[in-house]
Amino acid sequence: MASRYDLICNVNGGSEHKIWRIKVRVIRLGRSSYFKDNNNKPMIELVVLDEQGGRIQCTVKNIHVYLFENSINEGNVYMLENLSVALNSGKYKPTMHEFRMFFKRETRVTLVEDSSIPLYGFSFVPFVEILNETKDDRRLVDVLGVVTGKGNLIEFKKEGKPCNYVVIELENIEGGLKLRCTLWEDYAFMFLKHLKDHPSESYVVVLQFAKMKNFKGSVGVSNTTYNSKLFINANIPEIEDFQMRLKSSDSQQGIQFSQLSDHASLTLEEEFLERGVYKSIADLKEVTQNSVFVTIGTVKDIESEYNWCYRACKKCSLGLKLDGSMFYCKKCVTHYSTFVTRYSIQLRVVDETDSASFILFDKEASNFLKIPAYELRTSYIAKGGDKNRHPEEIDSFKDKKFLFKVQVKIQDMESIVPYVISISRLCFEDNIIASFEKKYQIEEVALIQDNSELLSQFTESSDLLKDNLSVSCDNGVDTPSPLLPTGKTASNMDSSVIKVLDVDLAEYCGNASFDTPSKCKGEMHSEQTIVRVAVHGDEQSAKKLRKVIKEEKN
């Protein structure tokens, strides 16, 4: 007697008169906006599973959506009858079946009860198989692993539309292999919300219908827009079994939840020219919440009053505190007898709008200097270097233009300097810098090259300037910060610094006398020479200064 229904493994592109009848559970239902028009709703994409574990993709085309959208729900079992068959040639394949099926106007959908068909139908692919891929594979895979690392949420714009993603690292148990996984949009927010709402010692993740992506010879996975499903510490047999094996394995003690680099999966061009959101230094200093941006600037000084390296924890890289003869890590809550030396270099960076202090940490500093921090420290000590200064190798940053990916972290909005700007990625490739400048139409302002006391002798207007300004020429030689006058730091700075202004000294050369080289007196009219000045005093003093500048220009 003929079977009452067909198995998925037997579906083929045979006779067009064949009426296919399959009993399946819908394990994934999503809407696809491909081919969407104003007159029809988005297509419905299904992945269905039968009692023998066979999976096949089914599609309800736009023109038929209204017939079936209220008849099918994810998780239910249906008898589907009278579907058409076509080759499985989509961009991404949620199944490896040679064919796929399409609903027709005549297709019949009947809800049935059948517990013999699994709820999810996972088909996990070993990490080693994914990592050994040499090119992009269009099949969608299921992966299972424990989270051992997480990056920051990255926000950028593509073709004017906001985009978001977070990178996590998964590890299997037996082989100790690690796989990078990128979660986009709602999947990223879902993951981060789960971490916030459900603190746990470990997070076991299943990403079903993930796409594989080869980047720089390394294959990782990410979610797709319509197909993928994300499970985090869910009460399903596959995750519960993994958690039990994790607890009993020797690797449990060695798993560390680490912070991943934000740029590990992006080229410099993608980071700075395609996805980064640009802000000038002046705009960075106006940010009121923690954010990530890209910017461009020239390093004009190394701030030697700050240490150029620090004692770091070997496990989490946090700074250690000396506690007797041991070193204490407050994050790991552990004492150590040794430490790792890491870079922490404070750079003074200037662009055409303002200047600011950027903190450069170990990875990017080592990449530029081509020497690890511990080696440079050992060499510096052996040479009898002054502990209050920095090695001359670090001066190689000075007077060099870079692209910076920075994290602006707000600490105290009531303080003089309410933010900390740290560098997460550095670019010093001339062609990319040139493309960046062209994209954002950045023109470098000509700066005075002489380090001089520019405002020592003034007329009436000049005296007002001298009483209310500290002058900072962006000339790269012992230049004080425009926000922190010589002799003052963020900790002892009074609240009288209220404004930073760009002053064109060429406007003053005909009316004022300068204790500067003859260039200032005779040639400045032919050049645009900008000096950044910090105003001290109350708002009234600032208004007087603006008035003087306006009168001088007139």
Side-chain angles (χ1 to χ4, degrees), residues 32 51 72 143 173 186 300 315 324 363 369 373 423 463 500 506:
S32 171
E51 59 196 54
I72 307 173
V143 295
I173 298 178
D186 291 344
K300 302 308 293 183
K315 288 189 176 181
K363 184 174 182 178
L369 295 172
I423 301 167
D463 291 334
V500 174

Side-chain angles (χ1 to χ4, degrees), residues 142-161:
D142 301 344
V143 295
L144 167 67
V146 60
V147 179
T148 56
K150 178 189 75 68
N152 294 316
L153 178 68
I154 303 301
E155 304 172 73
F156 65 97
K157 288 187 176 181
K158 184 176 183 179
E159 299 178 353
K161 297 180 180 180

Side-chain angles (χ1 to χ4, degrees), residues 185-222:
E185 305 305 339
D186 291 344
Y187 296 83
F189 296 125
M190 182 193 308
F191 176 79
L192 295 175
K193 186 177 187 302
H194 185 95
L195 263 59
K196 180 181 179 181
D197 296 343
H198 304 282
S200 176
E201 292 183 359
S202 62
Y203 298 91
V204 177
V205 165
V206 168
L207 185 61
Q208 189 177 27
F209 306 122
K211 64 181 178 181
M212 292 184 283
K213 185 69 176 179
N214 190 310
F215 181 78
K216 291 185 177 180
S218 178
V219 179
V221 298
S222 69

Side-chain angles (χ1 to χ4, degrees), residues 354 454-455 465 468-474 481-483 485 497-505 508 530-536 545 549:
D354 209 331
L454 295 177
L455 301 176
L465 287 171
N468 291 278
L469 305 180
S470 67
V471 180
S472 173
C473 292
D474 295 329
S481 159
L483 284 182
V497 176
I498 59 174
K499 187 67 176 176
V500 174
L501 301 175
D502 286 336
V503 180
D504 188 347
L505 292 184
Y508 295 92
I530 302 298
V531 170
R532 181 157 295 114
V533 294
V535 183
H536 301 272
L545 175 61
I549 294 173

Side-chain angles (χ1 to χ4, degrees), residues 334-503:
T334 305
H335 283 84
Y336 298 99
S337 60
T338 59
F339 60 85
V340 177
T341 301
R342 292 185 179 273
Y343 286 112
S344 176
I345 305 171
Q346 198 108 343
L347 306 175
R348 194 68 192 179
V349 182
V350 62
D351 68 1
E352 75 279 5
T353 67
D354 209 331
S355 66
S357 294
F358 290 7
I359 303 176
L360 180 65
F361 288 107
D362 193 70
K363 184 174 182 178
E364 294 300 313
S366 298
N367 184 42
F368 178 78
L369 295 172
K370 306 301 182 185
I371 181 173
Y374 74 90
E375 286 189 15
L376 186 56
R377 178 177 178 270
T378 301
S379 172
Y380 188 59
I381 293 174
K383 295 176 182 178
D386 185 348
K387 67 178 182 179
N388 295 319
R389 297 186 61 82
H390 56 262
E392 61 181 11
E393 288 86 346
I394 293 179
D395 284 330
S396 59
F397 284 102
K398 292 175 65 172
D399 297 317
K400 188 170 181 62
K401 184 183 292 184
F402 296 92
L403 295 178
F404 304 92
K405 180 180 180 182
V406 297
Q407 293 178 313
V408 183
K409 184 176 182 181
I410 304 301
Q411 293 191 319
D412 181 4
M413 291 301 297
E414 301 300 321
S415 66
I416 299 299
V417 183
Y419 50 80
V420 172
I421 303 176
S422 58
I423 301 167
S424 59
R425 197 171 193 185
L426 198 64
C427 173
F428 42 90
E429 294 187 13
D430 293 338
N431 61 323
I432 299 178
I433 292 174
S435 297
F436 187 92
E437 291 178 320
K438 181 178 180 181
K439 177 178 180 178
Y440 294 104
Q441 299 180 342
I442 297 171
E443 296 182 3
E444 185 175 6
V445 177
L447 301 175
I448 289 181
Q449 299 301 312
D450 303 293
N451 185 33
S452 310
E453 294 295 332
L454 295 177
L455 301 176
S456 61
Q457 297 179 13
F458 264 84
T459 59
E460 179 181 354
S461 60
S462 305
D463 291 334
L464 175 62
L465 287 171
K466 186 169 69 173
D467 291 339
N468 291 278
L469 305 180
S470 67
V471 180
S472 173
C473 292
D474 295 329
N475 51 24
V477 183
D478 297 326
T479 305
S481 159
L483 284 182
L484 300 180
T486 305
K488 295 192 176 184
T489 63
S491 60
N492 62 21
M493 180 79 173
D494 61 59
S495 60
S496 63
V497 176
I498 59 174
K499 187 67 176 176
V500 174
L501 301 175
D502 286 336
V503 180

